[in-house]
Amino acid sequence: MDEPPPGRRGLSDRLRRAGRLPALVTTGNLVAAQLVTGAASLAINAMAARSMGPAGRGSLALLLQLTYLANMLAMAGTDRAYPATAPVGRDIRQTSADALRLVILPGAVVLLAAAPIAYALGGNGRGTGLVTVIGCMLTIGALLTAAALRTGAAAAGVTRPYLLATVTGQAALMVSAALLTLVGTGSPQTWLLAYGAALAVGPMVAWRLLRRLRPAAPPAHGLVPARRLGLRLLPAAAASLVVLRADRLLLPWLGSYEQLGLYIVVATVAEFAIWPVQNWIDVQSPRWHQRFLAGELRRTGPLLAAAGYGIVSGLLLLAAGRLLVVPVFGSEYRESTALLVPLAIATACYSVSRAAIGLGVAAGRARGALAADIPAMVVAVGAYLLLIPHYGAMGAAVGSAVAYGVGAVLALLLAARIPHGPTPDRDAPAAERSETPPSGRLTR
């Protein structure tokens, strides 16, 4: 390995002394939280599918896509930007509060914009529409608060409060779903309301745990770098979400609610498969940024790790899906097993693209995310419009695989241009800061 410049040796030595164990523990806790979420979601998915059938399950899926889209817009890139800009020494209580402050204003705007859309999707009756609006507001608020907590946990490297909150919230959601199944409730609006109320339990538990912690003396820090980078990343985040969610939004109109119901049960499981690699990237982002400032950022190892994970998880998805779809969801969903092959390919491609983009963000190259995700979005929307009317759920799955493949290729090409450290012509301010205790600010 090349010897770092003298002005960066202090930072390099601190990074070596820190070791990899804390990052692995943090990643492990985030993965554990999402494994709990995935297991609960699988069970809830099965209960909802059996209670409502493919058409009702598709209607609920559409309402949930609205809440996910609103959550992404309200986050405004904060989940990527803040962990890469948070200064060393800021504790979990402070980082979580920072993340929450960053999303309050966009969250309020998004809630106001989502309300009439939720009402329109809620059905014919005024009462049904109001229930839908309340359910959407609760779900968006719970998702946004949980996302801020997760962002703060990733930035601080302290994830136990978030893990405990996730377990509590998912347990409450499981109980709610079980009760709805027992009484035979087939209303998607009622299920959405239960989702929101149950998911709100987790963030409340987390904030109570955080209030018991004694805050450390906060280092000097402003939120402007995170806000600026988040806004620069927002178009890429929106494009990524379009690729991830547009298939679910278009299926009811270009296909049918039944096709969406068939698609969602396996697409949701495929989404679980990409969570661990995204958690790992979020936790590594502060470390990658400090290594960039030290002139020691390496690309090959992270990219190979992400590719290996994506291939293995795609194969496991394919094997597990073929074994479990019919026994878990019922014979009505037998057609869903044919969708597993393209979704497994999409999982592998997505893992690689996230790692490549994560390295670029850590180096301050937000444009790399735009250059990879926006073309992938264009390809995805074109493929969905072309394939879904003729092939339904299979068209959505194939379109996802093609779009993620394009995104992965572009992200890899852009990652090859990321330097090991700041360059005098583009990153002079960062090079100067690297001789002092790291502020965590990005280079551009």
Side-chain angles (χ1 to χ4, degrees), residues 74-102:
M75 286 300 292
T78 298
D79 52 337
R80 290 184 184 180
Y82 183 74
T85 59
V88 175
R90 205 158 177 81
D91 65 26
I92 176 64
R93 184 170 173 176
Q94 294 157 355
T95 56
S96 298
D98 284 347
L100 194 61
R101 283 197 293 270
L102 285 167

Side-chain angles (χ1 to χ4, degrees), residues 49-151:
R50 291 183 178 273
S51 297
M52 292 182 283
R57 182 64 185 91
S59 180
L60 176 62
L62 181 62
L63 293 171
L64 288 174
Q65 301 320 302
L66 173 63
T67 66
Y68 300 149
L69 176 62
N71 176 64
M72 184 280 301
L73 292 174
M75 286 300 292
T78 298
D79 52 337
R80 290 184 184 180
Y82 183 74
T85 59
V88 175
R90 205 158 177 81
D91 65 26
I92 176 64
R93 184 170 173 176
Q94 294 157 355
T95 56
S96 298
D98 284 347
L100 194 61
R101 283 197 293 270
L102 285 167
V103 302
I104 284 178
L105 180 58
V109 173
V110 166
L111 284 172
L112 289 174
I117 300 174
Y119 188 86
L121 294 174
N124 296 326
R126 176 180 295 183
T128 304
L130 289 176
V131 170
T132 305
V133 171
I134 295 171
C136 275
M137 299 301 101
L138 281 173
T139 305
I140 293 169
L143 290 172
L144 186 58
T145 308
L149 288 168
R150 182 188 175 280
T151 301

Side-chain angles (χ1 to χ4, degrees), residues 145-242:
T145 308
L149 288 168
R150 182 188 175 280
T151 301
V158 179
T159 49
R160 186 170 177 270
Y162 174 73
L163 175 59
L164 293 175
T166 299
V167 172
T168 304
Q170 293 301 312
L173 188 54
M174 283 280 290
V175 171
S176 297
L179 290 174
L180 291 175
T181 302
L182 286 174
V183 300
T185 302
S187 166
Q189 294 78 18
T190 304
W191 275 81
L192 180 66
L193 184 62
Y195 262 80
L199 288 176
V201 174
M204 289 190 292
V205 169
W207 285 116
R208 288 187 63 86
L209 291 172
L210 292 178
R211 289 183 63 183
R212 297 178 184 177
L213 299 177
R214 180 177 298 177
H221 178 56
L223 298 180
V224 174
R227 194 179 299 278
R228 286 178 177 171
L229 180 61
L231 291 175
R232 288 166 57 200
L233 289 171
L234 180 58
S240 179
L241 193 73
V242 167

